[in-house]
Amino acid sequence: MKIAVCVKRVADMDVRFRIAQDGTSLDEAGLKFDINDFDSWAVEAALQLREKAGQGEVVAISLGPDNVQETIRKALSMGADRGIHLKADKVPFDGSAIASAIAAEVKDGGYDIVFFGKMSPDSANGVVGSIVAEKIGYACVTAVSRLEVADGKAKAKRELEGAQEIVEFALPAVITVDEGLNTARYPSLKGIMAAKKKPLESKPAQLGEIQVEIEKLELPPERAAGKIIGEGAAAVPELIRLLSTEAKVL
């Protein structure tokens, strides 16, 4: 089984962000970057399928400037066999343009499955996997939280609002991975050392036409400080007055 996993370098979300001087991107100074969580679960899914089959190849693919090679190496240290870096000056916001580059890379690769994370937290578009599937003519199943693969077919569970959906489909396919499918393994020291010697090919990304761009980024306004108006029943009249006149929720 030959599997591609598309991974993205994203910033740690548990920090205070600053907007860069251009007004359309984040100031990366002081930020910590790692593989997108959804993508790490996709890597784990690919590794488990290869291990179950007892043979095969897992190829980690990432698009962006040279620093995304660190993200590819993370996937290699988890157990992926080789990496492909689709080089671009920056990762565009336009999911269709990204999908064009990935589709151009995987369409003739003979992949049985092309994995993506369901979404990335920085752009939250969640469209790249679906567009790639359309461009290369593969079946597409999104937001998968359980997966079984055997004899060229697969069965997947998708979580819906108040329900679950079970779908069956034939390979080859594009699958986007949701939370709950698995727990991604931590790279071992042996895996980290081995990743340094695994092949990582870099080539220009064949980006499609960029039709969607960010015009401006703005941080949400600071929340106003809270008020302590008293304790017990005596504070209720003042609380009601403030809710009516200032908060205007009554």
Side-chain angles (χ1 to χ4, degrees):
M1 178 171 287
K2 187 175 183 181
I3 304 172
V5 187
C6 299
V7 298
K8 187 176 183 181
R9 176 181 182 265
V10 297
D12 183 348
M13 293 291 107
D14 296 326
V15 297
R16 188 176 183 86
F17 291 98
R18 297 187 300 271
I19 297 174
Q21 290 185 350
D22 61 12
T24 62
S25 62
L26 294 179
D27 181 354
E28 295 190 2
L31 294 183
K32 180 182 177 182
F33 289 83
D34 202 350
I35 187 171
N36 172 24
D37 283 343
F38 289 100
D39 297 346
S40 69
W41 299 325
V43 172
E44 179 63 30
L47 297 176
Q48 290 184 12
L49 288 177
R50 186 195 62 190
E51 290 163 359
K52 181 180 178 181
Q55 60 180 353
E57 182 183 39
V58 175
V59 182
I61 301 172
S62 190
L63 182 149
D66 289 341
N67 54 23
V68 305
Q69 292 191 14
E70 178 183 349
T71 305
I72 297 173
R73 291 291 182 193
K74 175 71 174 289
L76 296 179
S77 68
M78 292 172 67
D81 299 291
R82 61 185 175 93
I84 298 175
H85 170 207
L86 302 179
K87 191 169 183 177
D89 292 337
K90 64 178 182 178
V91 180
F93 181 78
D94 190 340
S96 180
I98 297 170
S100 293
I102 295 174
E105 175 58 36
V106 302
K107 66 179 180 180
D108 297 322
Y111 294 103
D112 298 290
I113 299 175
V114 180
F115 275 115
F116 292 83
K118 181 182 75 170
M119 57 173 279
S120 62
D122 51 357
S123 63
N125 286 326
V127 299
V128 175
S130 300
I131 298 174
V132 169
E134 173 64 21
K135 288 180 177 294
I136 65 177
Y138 277 24
C140 182
V141 183
T142 60
V144 170
S145 60
R146 190 177 71 203
L147 179 65
E148 301 172 10
V149 177
D151 302 322
K153 297 181 181 180
K155 179 187 290 187
K157 181 177 78 171
R158 304 176 68 246
E159 300 292 341
L160 307 178
E161 187 69 32
Q164 296 177 343
E165 180 178 79
I166 307 298
V167 297
E168 296 183 353
F169 52 99
L171 303 182
V174 169
I175 297 172
T176 75
V177 172
D178 201 353
E179 184 176 5
L181 179 62
N182 56 50
T183 300
R185 67 192 69 184
Y186 288 103
S188 64
L189 178 59
K190 181 180 179 181
I192 294 171
M193 298 304 294
K196 297 178 181 179
K197 299 180 181 179
K198 291 180 179 179
L200 198 168
E201 180 184 5
S202 183
K203 60 180 71 174
Q206 300 180 45
L207 289 169
E209 180 186 359
I210 296 176
Q211 302 179 71
V212 180
E213 296 184 89
I214 296 174
E215 289 191 355
K216 186 179 181 181
L217 285 179
E218 291 182 346
L219 293 173
E222 295 288 342
R223 297 179 65 177
K227 293 182 179 180
I228 298 176
I229 59 174
E231 296 182 3
V236 172
E238 178 65 6
L239 175 61
I240 293 175
R241 186 187 71 80
L242 292 173
L243 289 175
S244 176
T245 61
E246 290 191 11
K248 300 186 184 302
V249 295
L250 293 179

